[in-house]
């Protein structure tokens, strides 16, 4: 509480009154409290609510009734932080602790509500899938401390179906064994095949089910092979795809969308070197690479620009984000499709400024000279 600003204290007081007093959650509170602010306050809100219930400032029925508000679809995402607080609080329970008498009934209200709308139920399941593992561990600890309680097993049973939904980064042993046995290169091949299958399914434009994909494969590849090697696999797949005969600009954009999404997908912990970091390292060496491999250099520049634009979109306006994306779209991927083509400066030496390389490429596209290059065996429909 001491670490909260005056504004945050005001918001916290408003939420406590809105949840547990007769006035309810009003429009003024919703308009002054941004969703991100509420998510940061949830842990403190739960802590203060549980303490109030322990000191009988709040009755258990009032506490449960207030928590029911949090099961509305627009508030449910905040339960990820809230349930994490519960999981940590459960670990503090000892055999002589009375905290368990408040925590477990409150969790029943959040995990096993009497009724929910279909929209809330779907969101609730997603939240439980995210929080199930830590909650299960906390509840199991509490059960070991209080073996005779009959209200903990039903909560563990509620969480059980979500424990098989591995949304954390650790791959199951059976999955890892399957990936590493794929010939010829284990994880590298598995990652490449997965990307190819996704791309082929999208381009097929059919009603067939999508291919199997789990983000755990990407995380495990990064963990075992490193961010730089994983990034190389992704860039190699872009190179492989753009050199296919007959690919058009829209399909190239789709390929980039897939790879950019993989690079920027959230991770449950900060690796020593992320793929975004590895991409920045590649960009720092781009002038040297452009002397020998302009198609790959062009891909790296465009990939970096799209990744940075997507990351920036979280903090800038949608209009600015669109502008970044549109600027990026103007960099045509035809260069990458010209496998053997090299650009040279006025002295006949390889070009060293990648911005100049891209500018030259755009000039070729505008003049139509680029269509006569080699590498695709034909023109590219732009």
């Amino acid at each position: 509480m001491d670490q909260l600003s005056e504004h945050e204290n005001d918001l916290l007081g408003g939420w406590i009154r809105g949840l547990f007093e007769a006035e309810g959650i009003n429009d003024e509170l919703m308009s002054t409290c941004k969703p991100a602010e509420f998510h940061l306050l949830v842990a403190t809100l739960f802590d203060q609510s549980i303490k109030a219930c322990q000191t009988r400032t709040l009755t258990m029925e009032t506490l449960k009734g207030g928590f029911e508000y949090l099961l509305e679809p627009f508030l449910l995402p905040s339960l990820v932080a809230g349930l994490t607080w519960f999981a940590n609080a459960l670990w503090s329970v000892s055999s002589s602790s009375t905290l368990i008498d408040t925590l477990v009934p409150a969790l029943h209200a959040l995990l096993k509500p009497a009724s929910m709308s279909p929209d809330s139920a779907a969101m609730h399941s997603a939240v439980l899938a995210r929080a199930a593992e830590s909650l299960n561990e906390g509840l199991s600890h509490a059960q070991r401390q209080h073996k005779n309680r009959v209200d903990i097993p039903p909560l563990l049973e509620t969480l059980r179906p979500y424990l098989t939904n591995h949304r954390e980064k650790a791959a199951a042993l059976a999955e890892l064994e399957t990936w590493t046995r794929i010939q010829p290169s284990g994880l590298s091949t598995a990652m490449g095949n997965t990307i190819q299958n996704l791309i082929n399914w999208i381009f097929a434009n059919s009603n067939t089910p999508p291919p199997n994909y789990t983000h755990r494969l990407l995380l495990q590849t990064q963990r075992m092979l490193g961010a730089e090697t994983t990034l190389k696999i992704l860039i190699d797949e872009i190179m492989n795809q753009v050199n296919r005969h007959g690919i058009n600009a829209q399909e190239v954009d789709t390929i980039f969308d897939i790879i950019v999404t993989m690079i920027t997908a959230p991770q449950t912990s900060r690796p020593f070197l992320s793929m975004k970091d590895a991409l920045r390292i590649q960009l720092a060496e781009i002038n040297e690479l452009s002397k020998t491999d302009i198609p790959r250099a062009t891909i790296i520049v465009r990939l970096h620009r799209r990744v940075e634009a997507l990351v920036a979109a979280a903090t800038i306006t949608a209009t600015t984000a669109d502008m970044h994306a549109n600027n990026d779209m103007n960099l045509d991927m035809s260069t990458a499709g010209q496998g053997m083509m090299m650009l040279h400066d006025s002295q006949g030496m390889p070009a060293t400024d990648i911005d100049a390389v891209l500018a030259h490429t755009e000039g070729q596209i505008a003049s139509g000279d680029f269509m006569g290059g080699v590498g695709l065996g034909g023109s590219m429909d732009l």
Side-chain angles (χ1 to χ4, degrees):
M1 289 285 290
D2 294 337
Q3 296 178 347
L4 296 181
S5 67
E6 182 178 352
H7 174 64
E8 290 170 331
N9 270 311
D10 289 342
L11 291 177
L12 181 61
W15 278 104
I16 290 175
R17 290 190 296 274
L19 291 173
F20 304 119
E21 295 181 6
E23 64 183 73
I25 301 173
N26 55 44
D27 292 339
E28 181 182 357
L29 177 61
M30 295 300 298
S31 63
T32 56
C33 184
K34 300 176 182 177
E37 290 178 316
F38 180 64
H39 291 177
L40 293 175
L41 289 174
V42 166
T44 306
L45 175 64
F46 278 17
D47 179 68
Q48 295 299 305
S49 302
I50 294 297
K51 287 178 179 177
C53 194
Q54 282 186 286
T55 59
R56 302 186 187 279
T57 304
L58 284 179
T59 67
M60 179 55 67
E61 289 306 310
T62 301
L63 183 74
K64 289 181 177 180
F67 281 175
E68 287 181 359
Y69 278 108
L70 300 178
L71 300 178
E72 293 296 326
F74 66 97
L75 291 177
L76 263 168
S78 67
L79 275 190
V80 174
L83 293 179
T84 300
W85 178 87
F86 267 99
N88 293 333
L90 286 163
W91 277 105
S92 68
V93 169
S94 65
S95 58
S96 59
S97 173
T98 59
L99 178 61
I100 191 72
D101 295 327
T102 308
L103 289 178
V104 172
L107 271 176
H108 269 271
L110 293 170
L111 301 189
K112 296 173 63 66
S115 63
M116 282 190 296
S117 69
D119 289 342
S120 291
M123 182 70 74
H124 190 257
S125 293
V127 168
L128 291 189
R130 181 66 182 84
E133 184 173 343
S134 59
L135 265 180
N136 183 73
E137 291 173 355
L139 283 167
S140 297
H141 165 77
Q143 187 179 40
R144 289 191 294 270
Q145 302 300 315
H146 297 268
K147 296 182 174 62
N148 295 327
R149 291 195 71 105
V150 297
D151 52 356
I152 296 179
L155 294 177
L156 291 170
E157 191 62 31
T158 297
L159 295 173
R160 189 181 305 279
Y162 301 99
L163 296 176
T164 57
N165 248 354
H166 299 284
R167 294 187 180 273
E168 295 298 319
K169 61 183 179 180
L173 179 60
E175 286 181 319
L176 184 58
E177 289 179 345
T178 299
W179 296 331
T180 54
R181 288 174 181 170
I182 297 176
Q183 297 297 322
S185 303
L187 278 172
S188 297
T189 303
M191 191 74 251
N193 290 347
T194 297
I195 296 171
Q196 291 171 23
N197 291 338
L198 282 172
I199 292 171
N200 291 338
W201 176 73
I202 291 172
F203 290 170
N205 196 26
S206 67
N207 294 324
T208 58
N212 290 330
Y213 174 78
T214 171
H215 189 53
R216 297 188 298 278
L217 172 58
L218 181 64
L219 296 176
Q220 194 68 25
T221 303
Q222 184 176 348
R223 186 180 305 108
M224 297 187 70
L225 303 183
E228 292 180 291
T229 299
T230 305
L231 179 64
K232 179 182 181 299
I233 294 170
L234 301 185
I235 294 173
D236 285 345
E237 284 307 317
I238 297 177
M239 296 285 292
N240 292 338
Q241 291 295 326
V242 300
N243 277 291
R244 290 191 296 111
H245 178 74
I247 191 169
N248 60 46
Q250 184 177 2
E251 291 173 332
V252 169
D253 285 332
T254 300
I255 294 168
F256 269 85
D257 286 341
I258 293 171
I259 302 303
V260 169
T261 301
M262 289 180 170
I263 292 174
T264 57
Q267 297 182 308
T268 54
S269 63
R270 170 72 177 174
F272 177 73
L273 183 73
S274 71
M275 281 193 290
K276 291 192 289 289
D277 296 329
L279 187 55
R280 293 183 185 112
I281 292 172
Q282 291 271 311
L283 190 73
E285 302 170 349
I286 206 68
N287 285 341
E288 195 65 28
L289 178 63
S290 68
K291 297 176 184 178
T292 57
D293 194 343
I294 286 179
R296 193 176 192 89
T298 306
I299 284 175
I300 291 171
V301 170
R302 184 174 182 184
L303 190 60
H304 176 265
R305 290 180 178 177
R306 294 189 69 153
V307 166
E308 292 300 312
L310 187 59
V311 171
T315 55
I316 61 178
T317 64
T319 301
T320 306
D322 289 342
M323 183 173 63
H324 275 270
N326 289 335
N327 287 339
D328 178 57
M329 290 296 228
N330 290 331
L331 295 173
D332 190 85
M333 271 305 302
S334 296
T335 305
Q338 306 302 315
M340 302 299 294
M341 192 192 80
M342 291 288 293
L343 297 181
H344 297 78
D345 60 20
S346 58
Q347 283 75 43
M349 299 298 291
T352 58
D353 186 340
I354 192 59
D355 283 329
V357 170
L358 293 172
H360 187 100
T361 301
E362 288 177 333
Q364 286 182 307
I365 294 169
S367 66
D369 294 340
F370 203 73
M371 297 304 176
V374 296
L376 286 175
S379 64
M380 193 192 273
D381 181 11
L382 301 177

